[in-house]
Amino acid sequence: MPKNKTIYVVCRTGTRSDLAAQKLTEKGFTNVWNVVPGMSKWEGPLDTAQS
C-alpha cells in the first residue's frame, strides 16, 4: 500500500483502531485517520451479506 494513501482505521469503539493507526504512523504512513467513536455509534446501513 502506498504510504501517502489515505487510510481510515475502524473498530467497534475506536480503541483498537487508535493502536493500529499509531502502528501505521510508526511505519511511515502519513495520512492515517482513526474513526471515532467507531462502529458502536454507526447509524448508517449495514451490509451483512457474507461472501
Side-chain angles (χ1 to χ4, degrees), residues 11-47:
C11 73
R12 187 174 60 85
T13 64
T15 303
R16 289 169 293 171
S17 57
D18 182 50
L19 178 59
Q22 289 178 39
K23 296 286 185 185
L24 287 166
T25 301
E26 290 170 6
K27 297 291 183 182
F29 289 85
T30 58
N31 199 8
V32 180
W33 295 88
N34 180 23
V35 180
V36 182
M39 294 303 293
S40 64
K41 299 293 183 182
W42 174 255
E43 295 180 0
L46 295 176
D47 181 358

